[in-house]
Amino acid sequence: MIPNTNSSYVRVPTPVEFSFDECLVFLNRSLQENLHRIQNDQIIKLIDHQGELILIGVTHAEQHLRVEFLNGKPSEAGQRAAAEYVWAWFDLKTDLVPFYGMAADDPILQPIVKRHFGLRVMGFPDLFEAMAWAITGQQINLTFAYTLKKRFVEAYGKSLVYEGEIYWTFPSCEEISELKVSDLTPMQYSVRKVEYIIGIAAEMAKGNLVKENFTDGKDAQTVEKELVAIRGIGPWSANYVMMKCLGFTSAFPIADVGLHNALKYQLELEKKPSIAEIESYAENWKGWEAYATFYLWRSLYE
DNA sequence: TGCCAGGAAGCCG
DNA sequence: CGGCTTCATGGC
C-alpha cells in the first residue's frame, strides 16, 4: 500500500445541540449497512463527487467535525463537496433550540429528547439515494430492506479498498437508468419496486428531476404534491424524502409503522394508535414533525 | 406458522 | 375522495 503522506482534512463546525455519540448509534443500527463503516469513533465513508472518489474519515472534536481525506487530498471542489456532504448528512444547518423548547413541554417527546439530546435527523444528501431507499423500504421489514440495498449497492455502486476494507458509493441514477427490470428482480426486489426505481433514475438522468427543484423555497405542501405525482412515491415516501433529504423539519410520514410502534410503546397503548390519534398528539409538534418522528424512531432501539 | 413489515398503485363506487 | 385488492417476500 502506498503510504498517504499528504494527510489533510477540513473542519465542519457543530452547534451546541449536537451529540456525535447519538448520531453514531443511528449510523450503527444495521450490521448490513455497507455505505459507511464505524471503527474507534471514526466514520469512514466513500463519496463520489462528479467521478472523483473521496474517502472521508469523520471524527468529532471540540465544536467541530474533523473530515479527514483518507485516500489523498481531493481537488478544491472535492474538499468543499465533502464538507457540504457532512453538513447535510448530520443536518447541521437546523437550529434545534426551538424544537427542544417545544419538546420540553410535550409529554411524549420530553423524556426521549432528554435521553437523546443532540441527535440530529441523519439524512441522505443525494436525492436518488433517498428516493431509492424509501422505495426499497416500502412495506417490508428493515432487515430485508438492508439486504436488498446491500445487493443493489454491491452490484452497481463504485468501490475503493482502504486498509483491507472495501467501501461503496450508492449507485448513480445514470447507471441505474440504463438497467432492465430483469437486472434487479433476481436480487428479490419486486417487479413494481424495480419499475419505480428505474423510472426515477431515468427522470433524474435526463435532468427532469433534480433536488434543487425542491429546495428553492417552495412550501412543504407544494413539494409533497410534486413528489407524490412521481410513480412509486406516495405520501409516506414523499414525507420521508422531505425529512431525510430536502430539509423540511415539518415533514411527517404519519403512516409510518415504526412511528406507530414507538407511540404505542411510549404511551403504553394496547394497540397501535390511529391516524386521527396521532394527529391529535402531533398538534403540539407543528413545524417539527420530522424531528419528533426521528426521536420516536430512536426510542425504538434503546 | 401465520402475521407483520419504515406502502403504493389501480380499480371501483 | 374513501375504501378495497393486489403486489411480493423475508423476518420472527
Side-chain angles (χ1 to χ4, degrees):
Chain A
M1 194 179 77
I2 302 166
N4 176 19
T5 50
N6 61 340
S7 165
S8 59
Y9 65 92
V10 293
R11 294 172 174 221
V12 178
T14 52
V16 173
E17 297 77 23
F18 176 75
S19 164
F20 190 60
D21 289 342
E22 280 294 338
C23 295
L24 278 183
V25 170
F26 175 80
L27 292 175
N28 246 328
R29 70 181 179 154
S30 172
L31 293 171
Q32 297 193 90
E33 177 61 69
N34 62 354
L35 292 178
H36 60 258
R37 183 184 313 278
I38 298 172
Q39 46 191 7
N40 306 324
D41 289 331
Q42 182 183 41
I43 311 164
I44 305 180
K45 181 174 182 66
L46 186 61
I47 295 172
D48 180 358
H49 175 248
Q50 298 175 355
E52 183 180 10
L53 291 182
I54 305 170
L55 189 68
I56 58 172
V58 181
T59 50
H60 189 220
E62 193 64 29
Q63 294 178 17
H64 69 276
L65 290 174
R66 178 189 160 102
V67 182
E68 191 170 354
F69 300 112
L70 302 176
N71 66 326
K73 191 172 181 176
S75 65
E76 288 290 333
Q79 294 179 50
R80 203 158 44 242
E84 283 170 8
Y85 188 96
V86 171
W87 177 254
W89 190 17
F90 287 83
D91 191 32
L92 296 178
K93 70 180 178 305
T94 301
D95 177 10
L96 291 189
V97 171
F99 169 64
Y100 286 145
M102 174 276 283
D105 297 320
D106 187 88
I108 298 174
L109 297 180
Q110 191 276 333
I112 307 175
V113 159
K114 186 179 176 188
R115 199 172 306 133
H116 306 298
F117 181 86
L119 173 67
R120 323 284 304 189
V121 168
M122 298 301 296
F124 298 104
D126 179 63
L127 179 62
F128 178 58
E129 180 182 350
M131 296 180 91
W133 174 237
I135 289 166
T136 300
Q138 289 168 4
Q139 179 60 18
I140 60 175
N141 64 74
L142 263 183
T143 306
F144 183 44
Y146 271 107
T147 301
L148 292 176
K149 183 178 89 163
K150 182 173 161 65
R151 291 173 184 159
F152 183 67
V153 166
E154 293 179 4
Y156 298 105
K158 296 178 187 169
S159 67
L160 181 149
V161 174
Y162 174 76
E163 292 188 345
E165 303 281 3
I166 187 162
Y167 296 89
W168 296 94
T169 65
F170 196 79
S172 70
C173 59
E174 289 84 2
E175 176 134 11
I176 301 307
S177 69
E178 294 173 1
L179 299 184
K180 304 186 300 292
V181 170
S182 59
D183 291 325
L184 292 177
T185 46
M187 297 180 187
Q188 290 174 294
Y189 273 94
S190 67
V191 170
R192 280 227 285 253
K193 285 188 182 181
V194 174
E195 290 172 358
Y196 301 160
I197 291 171
I198 294 177
I200 285 170
E203 288 306 299
M204 294 190 76
K206 282 188 284 187
N208 296 338
L209 179 55
V210 293
K211 182 175 177 179
E212 289 67 31
N213 176 53
F214 304 111
T215 54
D216 61 358
K218 280 186 189 135
D219 61 276
Q221 204 174 12
T222 303
V223 170
E224 180 177 351
K225 197 172 169 185
E226 290 185 14
L227 287 171
V228 170
I230 299 166
R231 185 160 185 261
I233 304 294
W236 177 86
S237 300
N239 281 275
Y240 182 86
V241 169
M242 290 169 71
M243 163 180 176
K244 302 266 287 183
C245 179
L246 302 176
F248 286 87
T249 59
S250 65
F252 195 21
I254 196 168
D256 184 81
V257 179
L259 173 68
H260 301 175
N261 282 326
L263 286 167
K264 179 185 162 191
Y265 296 135
Q266 206 62 34
L267 297 167
E268 300 181 339
L269 306 174
E270 293 290 321
K271 56 181 183 181
K272 287 184 282 189
S274 67
I275 296 296
E277 287 169 325
I278 299 171
E279 284 172 343
S280 164
Y281 304 141
E283 278 177 17
N284 195 37
W285 305 344
K286 292 278 184 242
W288 290 101
E289 292 87 343
Y291 264 88
T293 299
F294 200 71
Y295 272 76
L296 280 160
W297 284 344
R298 176 66 180 79
S299 74
L300 283 172
Y301 43 93
E302 290 302 330

